Amino acid sequence: MMAGFSYVALVTPPDKHPVYMAFFEATILVGVLLGNTLNAAIVDTLGLDVMAYISAGASILPNLIIIFSVSSNTKHLKTSEEKWRWKEILGWRNLLSAFHCILKKRPGKGRILLILTFLMYAGSFISSIGFSTTSFLYFTKEKGMTVTLYSSFLIYEEAMKGLGGSFILLAISMCKKPVDYFHLLITGYVFDISAFIIMSLPFYPVGAWIGGAMFVGHTIARAQVRALQAQLCGRDELGKMFAFDSIYQVIVNNAVSIGYRAVYSATLEVWPECSFSLCALVLLMSMVVAVFVSFLKQRHELLLKDDSNNST
């Protein structure tokens, strides 16, 4: 997945990064959605062995697409060396250099800004893990949702999160007057926080479905963070930066899942909505970081401008 983000950032115009990255993430969410929807029906009608063959074929297909289409998709890049450098970046030998990419000294405030973007991204990532970890037990055990209804709710929520946010960004990108990335970022966080707050209130089932719709902010915020990360890195560092992102997610995922399960179990009798409120709090902390990043980015751009003037 992170290799895909690197490729998208490399071959698309910088001002279009949020839209393309949002749609790339949306395709992943749609794939999960379709898999969850079709998996049970295929197993019940055709058998588990057929589902295994379909899964194997679906796993091979992306590799074939990359082999036969990547070279044509990168023809517009300037040189042959630049065209294929993304493959070298994503090689396993450069995995450890991902940490150097994030921590090395950069002009202006580049290093601290890049590190802070991962704190910004942490809010949406951790809250997503919290929701996926506890929502099934909460809605089925505490609110009486049937498994079928919960599956429908999950499809609805994933569609809003992936497709809804992506098409909103696409519509905004088509406007004549450009919208500042920071305004979109904060708007995304506000919608995401509101989703968890609404689902925590005693307005079930209406609150659950309204909250699910508010998850459009998830993709909007994450796409802005991804675009900012790509902007702060050089073109030859995109793979390393997203490789670090992948390592970070793998490490954090297990720890956060265990933590949310523990919180849900500990607060089940007195406050079953605690895990959702915790998700909202984590997102709020990320939004505070985003506000600080906005001010720091202005300082960063001034420093780069001064350096440029001095060198001239």
Side-chain angles (χ1 to χ4, degrees):
M1 184 174 73
M2 294 304 158
F5 278 118
S6 304
Y7 182 70
V8 170
L10 187 61
V11 300
T12 58
D15 60 323
K16 298 294 184 182
H17 279 169
V19 176
Y20 284 106
M21 288 187 179
F23 271 100
F24 177 75
E25 187 161 0
T27 60
I28 298 169
L29 295 174
V30 169
V32 173
L33 185 149
L34 290 175
N36 291 336
T37 304
L38 299 175
N39 182 58
I42 293 173
V43 171
D44 289 341
T45 56
L46 301 177
L48 186 60
D49 54 341
V50 175
M51 186 67 238
Y53 287 124
I54 293 174
S55 298
S59 300
I60 295 172
L61 182 61
N63 295 310
L64 296 177
I65 294 173
I66 290 173
I67 291 170
F68 291 108
S69 67
V70 162
S71 59
S72 61
N73 287 340
T74 56
K75 280 182 178 177
H76 68 281
L77 297 179
K78 296 178 181 179
T79 64
S80 175
E81 182 183 0
E82 185 180 23
K83 181 190 299 185
W84 294 108
R85 188 172 294 170
W86 70 274
K87 287 187 174 181
E88 299 171 10
I89 296 168
L90 300 175
W92 63 270
R93 290 174 297 178
N94 295 310
L95 190 61
L96 294 179
S97 63
F99 289 89
H100 178 258
C101 171
I102 304 303
L103 299 175
K104 75 175 186 179
K105 188 175 181 180
R106 296 177 179 276
K109 301 292 183 180
R111 176 167 57 181
I112 186 63
L113 277 172
L114 188 58
I115 293 173
L116 289 175
T117 60
F118 284 95
L119 293 180
M120 291 161 56
Y121 180 79
S124 58
F125 178 60
I126 292 174
S127 63
S128 294
I129 297 173
F131 181 79
S132 61
T133 301
T134 61
S135 61
F136 177 78
L137 291 175
Y138 175 75
F139 284 118
T140 58
K141 301 297 183 182
E142 296 300 315
K143 296 302 181 182
M145 260 192 188
T146 63
V147 175
T148 302
L149 182 58
Y150 175 76
S151 298
S152 300
F153 171 75
L154 208 59
I155 292 171
Y156 165 79
E157 176 261 334
E158 290 292 333
M160 288 295 175
K161 183 186 292 183
L163 296 177
S166 299
F167 279 108
I168 288 174
L169 282 175
L170 177 62
I172 292 173
S173 70
M174 297 171 67
C175 295
K176 292 182 179 180
K177 185 178 180 180
V179 180
D180 184 69
Y181 91 94
F182 176 70
H183 294 153
L184 289 174
L185 178 62
I186 296 301
T187 300
Y189 278 130
V190 169
F191 269 74
D192 227 3
I193 293 169
S194 301
F196 286 109
I197 292 176
I198 291 172
M199 287 191 291
S200 300
L201 298 175
F203 298 139
Y204 180 84
V206 176
W209 295 94
I210 294 176
M214 300 291 283
F215 276 132
V216 295
H218 173 88
T219 301
I220 294 174
R222 284 172 70 145
Q224 304 307 314
V225 175
R226 296 264 189 223
L228 181 58
Q229 289 174 332
Q231 180 183 343
L232 291 169
C233 283
R235 289 173 63 85
D236 60 341
E237 296 178 311
L238 290 171
K240 297 174 185 178
M241 187 269 293
F242 284 116
F244 176 85
D245 198 340
S246 182
I247 297 168
Y248 155 79
Q249 289 195 40
V250 169
I251 295 173
V252 171
N253 184 44
N254 294 327
V256 171
S257 297
I258 294 171
Y260 268 105
R261 288 191 183 96
V263 169
Y264 183 78
S265 299
T267 60
L268 182 59
E269 299 297 329
V270 293
W271 188 14
E273 297 84 6
C274 179
S275 59
F276 288 171
S277 300
L278 183 59
C279 290
L281 178 61
V282 170
L283 283 166
L284 180 61
M285 294 169 64
S286 288
M287 189 170 73
V288 172
V289 174
V291 174
F292 176 68
V293 165
S294 176
F295 290 108
L296 191 63
K297 187 171 182 289
Q298 294 177 14
R299 175 63 177 164
H300 170 70
E301 291 171 349
L302 288 174
L303 288 174
L304 293 182
K305 185 176 180 180
D306 290 341
D307 289 343
S308 176
N309 291 337
N310 290 335
S311 62
T312 302

